[in-house]
Amino acid sequence: MPDKDIKAMMGTEDTPGGKASPDPQDSRPSVFHSIKVFVLCHSLLQLAQLMISGYLKGSISTVEKRFGLSSQTSGLLAAFNEVGNTALIVFVSYFGSRVHRPRLIGCGAILVALAGLLMALPHFISEPYRFDNTSPADMPQDSEASLCLPSTSARAPASSNSSCSSHTQAQHLVAVGIMFTAQTVLGVGGVPIQPFGISYIDDFAHNSNSPLYLGILFAVTMLGPGMAYGLGGLMLRLYVDINRMPEGGINLTSKDPRWVGAWWLGFLISAGVVALAAIPYFFFPREMPKEKHELRFRRRVLAVSASPVSKGEDSSSEQSTEASPEKKAGLAQIAPNLTAVQFIKVFPRVLLRTLRHPIFLLVVLSQVCTSSMVAGMATFLPKFLERQFSVTASFANLLIGCVTIPLAIMGIVMGGFLVKRLRLGPMRCSILCLLGMLFCLLLSLPLFFMGCSTHHIAGIIHQPGFSLVSAQPGLERFPGCMEPCSCPSDDFNPVCEPSSRVEYLTPCHAGCTSRMVQEALDKSQVFYTNCSCVAGGSPVLAGSCDSACSHLVLPFMILVGLGATLASVTHTPSFMLILRGVKKEDKTLAVGIQFMLQRVLAWMPSPVIHGTAIDTTCVHWAQSCGRRAVCRYYDNDLLRNRFIGLQFFFKTSSLACFALILAILRQQNKEEGTKATVSSPGLQQQLLASGREKKPEESRV
């Protein structure tokens, strides 16, 4: 051990018993030599890290509107942080014992903070958001430019051409490119944080305290996504250009479909929190004295997951490990003796050997299906709620952060408690997973019917049958009502006729020639009058028509939350099936392979798959400089069926995997029972005499 590391250990020296004895002269207390302080700092850091990664998912629909992105592109953006993470996570096993882990965690946290700043940068380099594309740049937005004007006083197309200049298009590409780069940096920065932090805690905490510390770490970390959605709910209430508001303010409310919230502000706040949480890591030593002066470096990264097993198994495994350390020949143990090239050569062989275990392979496939469901739901559930139930982006985020996330955390805790309390073996763990996913699947069936069809949109959607017409909107009931007008094709300022619930893209498409503002105590209401395309010429209200199913949003979220609880119950027992299904020396690597496959097969493709499915339900696209931009209107029935259908598919696949696991375990138990009966006829009598707690399925593998 280098001299500087020995000094960092408060002057400890080796003793015959392998313990550290502090030097009386240098035994000054330091907060950075306490593993408890490290656990506290690491819990806050992982919470802040998940706030940054989860905040984008909560503001995904807002980013789409601000930069004209399709759901497929936004899904790719949300999944892009997994690219850098997956590319480097494999080498954590190789570099784990060769680096200064706290400092590397601090460097990774600085990269995460930098990624948060990069995510907010497009707001500052882009021009102010213009929700009224027809108004000239030197006039207030949402003025009379959206009204039906005679052809003689038609709008000059100069403003449209100026908004599509080469500089504007290049600026748009740069902004989107910066966000993709920021997501890549976010993935790279997150690589060392969790693995190195867990191994550091497990190395220097007392053996009996390590599961408790890791449990506290995971419990605090799980609050990160909920806080991210809560932060999104607060920030999206503010206007996007709150730092550069136009004179006279704006005539928008958060319920207006053109509203864009301050999506960038949440990234700045989260980046600042991560930067503050990164500072202490540069003061922690590379190695610190083990708690209670026991200087034994044993890497049991999975102690928190193995703790729910029966205490007898834990103690026996610890004794066997301590008694015969020379028998450990897994990749995690020999990795420090390999070069980087040798590690790359050895890794595929160990990977194939681990994937040959049928239980391990099926559990990983079930977790991939569950993670795909979670990734799609976490990314696009806020947008789904906005479209299906006409709620604001901020309210959708608050619903998810206050209902779904806490219930999911409760499910994880409940699953671990059941495994711990009932001391479930592999067979019973598989039964628990099967039941949890089955009831989760049943709860998702009513979701197919909780929603309404898209209301009548003039010129786009005629009736609930959704027969589409040409791209140029016009109301078929009054042919020629728009002939005196010169309505721009790319304008979007929706108005609603309350009596018939018919929506028009702009007041111009409704044939309205005048605008009126009705002031009230708490808010002002904008009306458009003299509308030639409206029956009776009645005035229309500014904004989209509200959904007739807005009252179903709370029952919908309760069912989604209960389903998340039941799906989360399977987390701990499925993890135990992995630990029981592989060799002891391959456990650490098996968990690493599990996380890698989840990233490659679930967290990376699932947002793109869900975004592509959502795009196929669009019935009217906005056009920006000749290209397809954000979707204005969706077929709500088709959107609901395809979004919930994808969730149903992944849940069914996970359920099938758990059913196969249960069948394989039963078959293996039958074979072992047959062999045991043949080898020792009196074995059954011995098992009956030993008590019911020693069942065959708990002692297998």
Side-chain angles (χ1 to χ4, degrees), residues 327-333 353 582-590:
K327 293 184 179 181
K328 301 167 70 175
L331 181 62
Q333 284 75 33
R353 184 182 71 186
V582 297
K583 296 180 179 179
K584 183 182 299 184
E585 62 269 17
D586 291 339
K587 285 183 179 181
T588 302
L589 182 66

Side-chain angles (χ1 to χ4, degrees), residues 291-304:
E291 267 192 324
K292 298 182 180 179
H293 309 289
E294 294 184 3
L295 194 59
R296 294 183 303 172
F297 302 105
R298 297 178 55 223
R299 283 153 177 82
R300 292 185 297 113
V301 180
L302 305 177
V304 66

Side-chain angles (χ1 to χ4, degrees), residues 57 75 78-79 82 229 363-381 437 440 567 570 594-611 613-614 642-654 657:
K57 297 176 174 61
E82 302 293 344
Y229 284 109
V363 172
V364 170
L365 288 178
S366 68
Q367 291 184 344
V368 165
C369 294
T370 305
S371 298
S372 299
M373 173 193 69
V374 173
M377 185 71 76
T379 306
F380 290 108
L381 182 58
M437 195 54 62
C440 176
T570 66
Q594 170 206 6
F595 288 133
M596 183 187 69
L597 292 178
Q598 283 184 359
R599 286 186 170 93
V600 174
L601 301 179
W603 291 101
M604 288 175 61
S606 180
V608 182
I609 294 172
H610 281 79
I614 290 174
R642 292 187 178 177
F643 184 76
I644 303 299
L646 272 176
Q647 300 286 307
F648 192 85
F649 169 76
F650 288 125
K651 294 175 184 178
T652 305
S653 302
S654 180
C657 291

Side-chain angles (χ1 to χ4, degrees), residues 23 46 133 135 215 333 404 488 545 602 673 689:
D23 189 349
Q46 288 196 178
N133 295 326
S135 299
Q333 284 75 33
T404 308
C545 298

Side-chain angles (χ1 to χ4, degrees), residues 249-262:
I250 57 172
N251 297 321
L252 282 185
T253 63
S254 59
K255 293 185 177 181
D256 196 296
R258 299 170 296 168
W259 174 271
V260 172

